Amino acid sequence: MKSFTSLLFLGALAYTAVADELTDLAPDDVNGLNVTQTIVDSSNSGIDLSLLNCTTDALSFINTAATAANSTTARRRRHHHHHGKRANTGNGIDVHSHLVFPWYKDLVPTTGGSPTPDWTVEDHLSFSAGLSITKTILGNSAPQANVFFGNKALTIALARLINISTAAIRSLYPKKIDFFCVVPLPYVSDSIAEAKYCLDTLKGVGITTMTNHEGLYLGNSALDGFWSYVNSRTDKPIIYVHPTTPYIKVNNKY
């Protein structure tokens, strides 16, 4: 029978091996964002992205989006070389715009009682251009990271995966897109850690929350530690609150 220490060591080796498999799928550089390093950072922080069945799909999406963005950039450079650069006369800033990654839609096929809509970067940019919107602050669609009620590890992993994926999109279109960070509330200490990583490392411009997280509403004293952290930051990040399905927990049921 293996000792407890041996089991811990073998578990650590298995965890490292899984992280290595994910880094093999992740691009090293997405216009300045080292996605591979974000996977390593997550592993070092005890966030197991391999728990999510959608992680490989998310990394594949980032790779595909990067290829498409680089191809579009090359075409535009050729066009500008031959025809000159056209002035952008738009000045709109959209602060309420949702993105729905295809892998996230698979997790959440319905939103607010209706089918979760499709979303692509190309359609979003085309829509924005048609309305003279030059900058969009993207926020993930509800229920954000609260897909797996009561499962702390999956909620934490999903918040990190959403933030990595959205940061990658912003890196591909830095002049047109910024984003709000998702946090894994109601898990306060982990939400503080995620907010810090997303704001300071991934460079989100603020934090998005919902009106309640697993039945805990934002004024609940159980969340006070998170708000204390936010208020303690010198940059005073924007908090973007979005409505979601109302929940109340009664007799351990929602």
Side-chain angles (χ1 to χ4, degrees):
M1 182 176 179
K2 296 182 176 68
S3 68
F4 181 67
T5 302
S6 297
L7 288 173
L8 285 176
F9 177 70
L10 290 172
L13 286 178
Y15 185 69
T16 302
V18 169
D20 286 345
E21 289 179 9
L22 293 179
T23 57
D24 287 342
L25 297 172
D28 287 335
D29 180 71
V30 178
N31 202 20
L33 175 69
N34 189 328
V35 178
T36 299
Q37 186 59 51
T38 67
I39 304 296
V40 174
D41 291 344
S42 300
S43 178
N44 290 341
S45 300
I47 299 175
D48 188 355
L49 295 177
S50 70
L51 293 174
L52 298 166
N53 293 332
C54 55
T55 298
T56 55
D57 290 337
L59 296 176
S60 177
F61 178 87
I62 293 171
N63 278 304
T64 300
T67 299
N70 291 334
S71 176
T72 300
T73 299
R75 288 198 303 271
R76 284 177 178 168
R77 285 174 178 167
R78 290 194 297 269
H79 178 81
H80 291 160
H81 176 74
H82 292 292
H83 303 284
K85 186 174 182 180
R86 185 175 64 182
N88 189 336
T89 58
N91 59 4
I93 300 176
D94 183 0
V95 297
H96 184 175
S97 187
H98 297 302
L99 77 165
V100 182
F101 295 110
W103 54 265
Y104 188 85
K105 181 181 177 180
D106 290 340
L107 289 177
V108 187
T110 60
T111 305
S114 299
T116 301
D118 292 319
W119 182 91
T120 68
V121 181
E122 295 78 14
D123 286 346
H124 172 79
L125 294 176
S126 176
F127 174 82
S128 297
L131 294 177
S132 298
I133 296 170
T134 57
K135 189 79 152 187
T136 300
I137 317 298
L138 291 174
N140 198 78
S141 176
Q144 297 181 4
N146 293 124
V147 176
F148 310 100
F149 271 42
N151 192 317
K152 180 178 178 179
L154 287 178
T155 303
I156 293 167
L158 184 56
R160 176 59 59 89
L161 187 62
I162 290 170
N163 289 333
I164 290 172
S165 300
T166 313
I169 297 300
R170 190 276 313 279
S171 292
L172 292 172
Y173 303 95
K175 294 182 179 179
K176 298 180 179 181
I177 289 174
D178 264 316
F179 75 102
F180 292 115
C181 300
V182 168
V183 291
L185 288 173
Y187 308 105
V188 171
S189 60
D190 301 287
S191 293
I192 292 171
E194 187 60 31
K196 179 176 176 58
Y197 183 78
C198 188
L199 292 170
D200 297 344
T201 301
L202 300 180
K203 305 301 181 184
V205 297
I207 299 168
T208 177
T209 70
M210 298 181 295
T211 45
N212 80 86
H213 292 263
E214 297 191 13
L216 279 183
Y217 286 78
L218 300 184
N220 193 300
S221 60
L223 304 181
D224 284 353
F226 177 73
W227 299 121
S228 294
Y229 166 73
V230 171
N231 287 328
S232 72
R233 288 184 60 98
T234 57
D235 57 354
K236 304 302 179 187
I238 296 167
I239 303 297
Y240 170 68
V241 180
H242 196 277
T244 189
T245 304
Y247 288 103
I248 297 178
K249 195 173 185 178
V250 178
N251 296 327
N252 291 321
K253 294 182 180 180
Y254 292 98

